[in-house]
Amino acid sequence: MRSKAPATLALLLAALNCVALPVGAQTSVQAPTAPPITATGKLAATDGKVWGALVYAVADKSKLTGATEKAPDLIPDLAERLAKAFPFTDFEILGQHTQDVFREYESWVVPSPELFLKVDSKGPADGGGLNLHLQFWRQQKVLVKTDTILRTGSPLFIRGPKWRDGQLIFILALKSVGGK
Amino acid sequence: MKTPPEDHDLIRWLDDEMTAAERTAFEARLAADPVLKAEAEEMRQISLSVRSHLPKEMPVPHPDFFNSQIQVRIEQMELEDRRASARPAAAGSIFSSLWMRLLAPVAAIAMVAVGWMTLRTSTASGSVVVSVYAPDPKVQATAVENVDAQATVLLLEGLEAMPADQNVAGLTVHHAETDSQLATTTLYDGAGQVLLVMGKDARNQPLIFSHGSPRG
């Protein structure tokens, strides 16, 4: 999983991207990605910061995988709250990712390469929080698209696919609003 | 102060639901009551203004948009009903009721015109799912607010299960860097090691590179 050559990976990715379609077709389908620099050469504004996690939920503790990730203080009593929303008793965090959310550009929240989110900010929401367009992906298939107002202290739980003896749940929580 | 029957008459007058005799009698009352007349005129102007600012057509974002939004709206109305039944009636509820009844037809027109795109409730203090759409017709997406869990829950029914022998790898992402020229995002762990590189292919599908090879 580890590599010391990010530039090589990035170049390989870019090369693959460039040869996939003729130039004309490529430019017609490419959406803006998540650069820190806008088309006008300015740094992209940061609308906020989100925390995403992939959770494995089971009704039998012996079925857990043994993952040892700890939840941040962002959501107190996370396991208790999950137990109120889903018919499971035991939960473990498989992966987690805290990510800046850029205005006008997409951001990726990837606690796992299997299930991840694309996040586009539409700016601050009335009454607090952020207006977000979310796409929940399972590898290369988008499972759901949603426009959501995400507010601090009120996470979004996405019930994902079943896996083994339990369920995969994606959590998205707003950590802060505004720039760094 | 207006009494409930006056509220009712005012709404019927604004909605043009009175008979000729009723309208004549009510307008005579308006002429004799400057306060009632001023309020009736104000409401009529607001109603006309709202209607005039509504777009006649809006593009439908996707084929199943209306079904998904109706489902979301039903969930929200059920939640609002539960909340309303749990709290005592507020002072001034007669006036609130009048405004709600007055604006209900206008709101209905607005909902149809914009396809329930503005569903957010002003009273909500938590997260709100405004719209939801599952491209796969076998998948049903439903959003509910779970008050006990203090969370909004997005339920996806009909998803294909992950194979039991598939390893669902978790990552602990410490930070990410984006490259505007290569259109990639590189994810790092706490030690500064690369976990994976994220990008998109020419069809706008996500591409993930880990172990030096693309996934997806």
Side-chain angles (χ1 to χ4, degrees):
Chain A
M1 185 60 70
R2 306 267 158 95
S3 166
K4 292 186 177 178
T8 305
L9 288 174
L11 285 168
L12 180 61
L13 182 63
L16 190 73
N17 192 17
C18 288
V19 300
L21 277 180
V23 172
Q26 183 188 87
T27 53
S28 67
V29 297
Q30 283 284 7
T33 51
I37 301 173
T38 67
T40 57
K42 297 178 181 176
L43 286 175
T46 301
D47 274 346
K49 196 181 287 281
V50 296
W51 175 76
L54 185 65
V55 167
Y56 180 46
V58 294
D60 178 352
K61 196 171 185 176
S62 68
K63 302 294 185 184
L64 292 173
T65 67
T68 56
E69 291 285 327
K70 300 294 182 191
D73 296 334
L74 184 63
I75 310 175
D77 306 324
L78 177 60
E80 289 81 359
R81 289 164 76 169
L82 284 167
K84 290 174 180 173
F86 302 102
F88 299 101
T89 55
D90 295 279
F91 306 88
E92 63 182 3
I93 296 175
L94 299 177
Q96 55 184 312
H97 179 181
T98 299
Q99 175 66 45
D100 287 340
V101 177
F102 302 110
R103 189 177 307 167
E104 300 177 18
Y105 293 103
E106 65 195 26
S107 306
W108 296 96
V109 180
V110 192
S112 167
E114 317 300 332
L115 291 163
F116 50 89
L117 272 183
K118 184 163 89 81
V119 180
D120 289 280
S121 174
K122 296 180 176 178
D126 293 339
L130 285 182
N131 285 302
L132 300 176
H133 176 72
L134 307 174
Q135 294 184 4
F136 184 42
W137 287 80
R138 176 176 174 175
Q139 296 178 342
Q140 282 203 302
K141 179 180 181 181
V142 63
L143 301 178
V144 71
K145 301 177 182 181
T146 174
D147 289 316
T148 294
I149 300 171
L150 194 65
R151 294 192 167 101
T152 52
S154 177
L156 177 67
F157 296 159
I158 304 176
R159 189 173 72 185
K162 289 180 170 35
W163 182 54
R164 296 182 178 167
D165 298 297
Q167 190 95 38
L168 294 170
I169 299 167
F170 197 101
I171 302 172
L172 186 70
L174 183 60
K175 198 167 183 181
S176 61
V177 177
K180 290 181 240 185
Chain B
M1 182 179 172
K2 300 184 306 304
T3 60
E6 282 177 333
D7 284 347
H8 184 66
D9 288 345
L10 183 51
I11 293 167
R12 293 182 64 230
W13 178 75
L14 287 166
D15 288 345
D16 200 22
E17 293 177 349
M18 286 182 162
T19 65
E22 287 174 331
R23 170 172 289 277
T24 301
F26 185 75
E27 288 178 350
R29 282 171 54 200
L30 288 179
D33 185 343
V35 175
L36 182 62
K37 183 178 181 181
E39 187 158 350
E41 184 58 27
E42 183 185 9
M43 289 183 175
R44 194 173 69 87
Q45 291 300 329
I46 290 172
S47 176
L48 290 173
S49 176
V50 172
R51 288 172 194 268
S52 68
H53 283 84
L54 290 175
K56 288 185 170 59
E57 288 186 17
M58 289 284 288
V60 178
H62 50 75
D64 197 39
F65 182 81
F66 288 102
N67 287 338
S68 63
Q69 294 314 303
I70 288 170
Q71 184 62 43
V72 170
R73 185 58 186 152
I74 289 170
E75 299 286 352
Q76 288 181 335
M77 290 173 73
E78 288 175 352
L79 177 65
E80 288 163 6
D81 286 347
R82 287 199 298 275
R83 282 175 172 168
S85 62
R87 64 174 174 251
S93 59
I94 292 174
F95 189 75
S96 300
S97 172
L98 169 64
W99 277 98
M100 290 181 69
R101 289 162 65 190
L102 171 66
L103 293 176
V106 178
I109 294 168
M111 297 279 274
V112 171
V114 304
W116 284 276
M117 290 178 77
T118 54
L119 291 174
R120 55 198 72 169
T121 52
S122 60
T123 57
S125 58
S127 298
V128 179
V129 170
V130 181
S131 68
V132 63
Y133 167 59
D136 186 341
K138 290 181 289 190
V139 176
Q140 296 294 318
T142 309
V144 294
E145 182 176 350
N146 189 308
V147 177
D148 291 339
Q150 301 171 62
T152 299
V153 184
L154 193 51
L155 301 169
L156 303 180
E157 301 286 351
L159 287 180
E160 193 175 322
M162 286 275 191
D165 59 354
Q166 181 176 345
N167 181 35
V168 178
L171 304 174
T172 304
V173 181
H174 180 268
H175 68 282
E177 292 179 0
T178 56
D179 186 311
S180 57
Q181 290 187 321
L182 297 176
T184 57
T185 300
T186 305
L187 308 182
Y188 297 87
D189 66 9
Q193 299 292 316
V194 173
L195 293 170
L196 56 81
V197 179
M198 195 98 195
K200 290 191 301 186
D201 66 15
R203 295 176 300 139
N204 235 8
Q205 302 277 73
L207 266 183
I208 297 176
F209 278 78
S210 60
H211 298 292
S213 60
R215 306 179 54 139

